[in-house]
C-alpha cells in the first residue's frame, strides 16, 4: 500500500477490471455523487464509462497483475506474475515497461510505493524464511518502513534505507490485506478489518496496534438482505480521496431467478471528520455514508479500485 500523504482531493478513482480471459481493462470513474446530499441506496445501479485502455500482455502466456497507484492519482504501477512491470498513464493511455523482477511471484503481490521506488512483496506464502518473510497484510509504518503480517508468525517491518527486516512482535495487523496511513486524520492507519471487512482506524504507533474506531455500517449488509443470490469477492479496495473522504469498492455477483449471473462493483463513499468532545479531545465521526453499484461488462469478473 501507499500512504495518503498531503494529496489534493480526488473526484475520480481508477478501476481495473479483470475479465474471464484474464485481460485487464482500465476505467476512470467519477465518484463525486457519493458525497452529494441525499440518501444513497446500495441498490442504485449506474453504468460504467467506456474503458480508457487495456494493459498489454503476451498472448501466448497466462499472466496475472497486481497494481498500485502513484502519488499523482493517475499512474498505475503493475507487477506481473511473469516478472514484468508496467507503468500505465490513465490520462493518456500510454504504457511503458518498468524493470524486470528477479523471479516470478505466482501467489499474488503487494505493490508498495515509497517515493520514486516501488516494492513488490509476495502475498501468498508457500515457503517461509525468517530473514525474508512474506505476508498477507501490509501497512506503512513510517515513510521509509512498511510492515507485513504472516499468519501465525507475527508482524515484520522492512526498512527501505537499511534494507533489513525486523520482527515487531507475535501479533498480526488487524487488516485484511492493504491498509493506508492518513496524516490529516491523526496519522491513523485505515483498512478493512480482518474478520468483518468493515472500515477500521488503527494506531500503529502502539505495539501491538490498537483499534480506535470501527464503522460496521461501511460493509454492504444490503447484500445479505437482498432477495437475489448475491456474493462478494473476499478482497475489497480502499481508496483515500483527501478531505477525510474514502471510497470502498467490492466486486460481486448476483443470480436472478432464472440463474443468470451478473457481476457488479459496489462503491461506498465514506466521509470522516475530526470533532472535539466536551473534554476537548478530538474524535473521528462519520458524517457521510452513501453507496451505489456499477454493472460490469458481460465478461468482467473482478475489479479493484485505486
Amino acid at each position: 500500500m501507499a500512504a495518503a500523504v498531503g494529496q489534493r482531493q480526488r473526484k475520480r478513482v481508477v478501476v481495473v477490471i479483470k475479465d474471464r480471459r484474464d485481460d485487464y481493462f482500465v476505467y476512470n470513474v467519477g465518484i463525486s455523487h457519493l458525497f452529494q446530499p441525499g440518501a444513497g441506496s446500495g441498490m442504485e445501479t449506474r453504468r460504467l464509462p467506456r474503458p480508457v485502455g487495456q494493459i498489454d500482455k503476451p498472448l501466448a502466456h497466462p499472466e496475472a497483475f497486481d497494481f498500485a497507484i502513484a502519488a499523482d492519482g493517475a499512474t498505475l504501477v503493475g507487477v506481473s506474475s511473469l516478472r514484468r512491470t508496467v507503468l500505465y498513464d490513465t490520462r493518456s493511455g500510454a504504457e511503458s515497461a518498468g524493470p524486470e523482477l528477479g523471479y516470478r511471484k505466482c501467489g499474488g503481490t503487494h505493490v508498495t510505493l515509497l517515493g520514486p521506488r516501488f516494492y513488490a512483496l509476495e502475498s501468498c506464502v508457500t515457503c517461509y524464511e525468517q530473514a525474508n518473510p512474506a505476508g498477507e497484510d501490509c501497512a506503512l509504518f513510517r515513510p521509509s518502513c512498511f510492515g507485513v503480517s504472516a499468519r501465525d508468525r507475527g508482524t515484520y517491518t522492512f526498512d527501505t534505507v537499511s534494507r533489513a527486516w525486523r520482527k515487531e512482535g507475535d501479533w498480526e495487523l488487524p487488516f485484511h490485506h492493504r491498509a493506508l496511513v492518513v496524516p490529516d486524520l491523526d496519522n491513523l492507519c485505515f483498512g478493512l478489518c480482518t474478520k468483518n471487512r468493515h472500515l477500521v482506524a488503527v494506531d500503529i504507533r502502539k505495539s501491538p496496534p490498537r483499534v480506535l474506531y470501527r464503522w460496521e455500517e461501511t460493509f454492504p449488509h444490503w447484500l445479505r438482505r437482498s432477495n437475489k443470490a448475491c456474493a462478494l469477492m473476499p478482497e475489497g479496495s480502499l481508496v483515500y480521496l483527501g478531505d477525510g473522504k474514502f471510497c470502498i469498492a467490492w466486486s460481486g455477483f448476483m443470480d436472478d431467478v432464472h440463474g443468470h449471473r451478473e457481476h457488479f462493483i459496489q462503491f461506498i463513499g465514506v466521509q470522516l471528520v475530526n470533532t472535539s468532545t466536551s473534554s476537548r479531545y478530538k474524535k473521528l465521526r462519520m458524517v457521510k455514508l452513501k453507496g451505489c453499484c456499477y454493472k460490469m461488462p458481460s465478461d468482467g469478473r473482478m475489479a479493484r479500485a485505486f
Side-chain angles (χ1 to χ4, degrees):
M1 49 117 301
V5 287
Q7 58 180 318
R8 64 181 182 274
Q9 185 175 340
R10 291 173 55 187
K11 297 182 179 180
R12 311 182 74 83
V13 293
V14 176
V15 174
V16 180
I17 294 181
K18 178 182 178 181
D19 68 12
R20 62 183 178 87
R21 294 181 298 271
D22 291 337
D23 290 325
Y24 293 84
F25 292 87
V26 183
Y27 297 77
N28 267 321
V29 181
I31 39 78
S32 296
H33 61 281
L34 292 176
F35 302 96
Q36 292 174 351
S41 167
M43 293 297 289
E44 177 191 358
T45 302
R46 290 177 172 242
R47 300 181 67 90
L48 282 169
R50 294 178 60 86
V52 297
Q54 180 179 356
I55 303 295
D56 292 331
K57 70 173 188 177
L59 296 179
H61 303 283
E63 186 176 26
F65 273 95
D66 292 285
F67 298 94
I69 196 79
D72 61 4
T75 304
L76 275 176
V77 178
V79 174
S80 157
S81 57
L82 299 181
R83 304 195 303 172
R84 291 199 305 137
T85 62
V86 298
L87 303 176
Y88 187 88
D89 190 323
T90 61
R91 295 161 297 196
S92 66
E95 181 178 327
S96 57
E100 187 174 275
L101 299 179
Y103 59 94
R104 292 190 181 189
K105 295 184 178 295
C106 299
T109 307
H110 291 303
V111 184
T112 301
L113 300 175
L114 295 177
R117 296 178 178 270
F118 70 87
Y119 297 83
L121 181 74
E122 191 165 10
S123 59
C124 182
V125 185
T126 55
C127 61
Y128 174 77
E129 297 177 4
Q130 184 164 329
N132 188 28
E136 298 149 353
D137 309 306
C138 182
L140 192 76
F141 275 54
R142 294 180 294 278
S144 63
C145 178
F146 62 85
V148 295
S149 288
R151 186 171 299 169
D152 299 324
R153 300 185 180 106
T155 296
Y156 296 77
T157 53
F158 181 74
D159 190 298
T160 61
V161 177
S162 64
R163 304 201 173 194
W165 287 98
R166 169 184 165 181
K167 185 169 185 179
E168 299 292 334
D170 293 327
W171 44 267
E172 297 175 23
L173 293 166
F175 306 111
H176 181 66
H177 291 312
R178 310 178 194 203
L180 50 90
V181 173
V182 181
D184 49 335
L185 292 177
D186 300 333
N187 275 308
L188 296 179
C189 193
F190 292 80
L192 303 177
C193 76
T194 304
K195 183 178 179 180
N196 297 316
R197 304 295 194 264
H198 54 253
L199 182 66
V200 295
V202 177
D203 187 352
I204 58 173
R205 294 162 292 192
K206 305 290 185 181
S207 181
R210 179 185 172 195
V211 179
L212 300 182
Y213 302 94
R214 299 178 184 271
W215 295 279
E216 296 183 5
E217 58 270 47
T218 58
F219 182 83
H221 293 285
W222 66 266
L223 288 168
R224 298 171 180 169
R225 299 190 295 266
S226 173
N227 57 3
K228 298 181 180 180
C230 299
L232 289 179
M233 303 303 179
E235 183 177 357
S237 307
L238 178 65
V239 182
Y240 184 62
L241 307 169
D243 194 29
K245 297 177 181 178
F246 295 84
C247 179
I248 305 172
W250 296 92
S251 298
F253 63 85
M254 61 177 63
D255 296 334
D256 61 22
V257 293
H258 304 291
H260 177 67
R261 175 164 294 181
E262 291 187 345
H263 288 77
F264 63 86
I265 311 167
Q266 165 78 66
F267 281 134
I268 298 176
V270 180
Q271 185 173 12
L272 306 174
V273 297
N274 251 322
T275 58
S276 297
T277 66
S278 57
S279 56
R280 296 185 179 179
Y281 286 105
K282 288 185 177 180
K283 183 178 180 180
L284 285 181
R285 183 168 60 92
M286 185 172 66
V287 296
K288 179 69 69 174
L289 177 68
K290 194 173 183 179
C292 72
C293 283
Y294 284 85
K295 182 181 176 181
M296 286 195 209
S298 58
D299 288 338
R301 293 296 181 267
M302 177 74 75
R304 291 291 307 273
F306 303 91

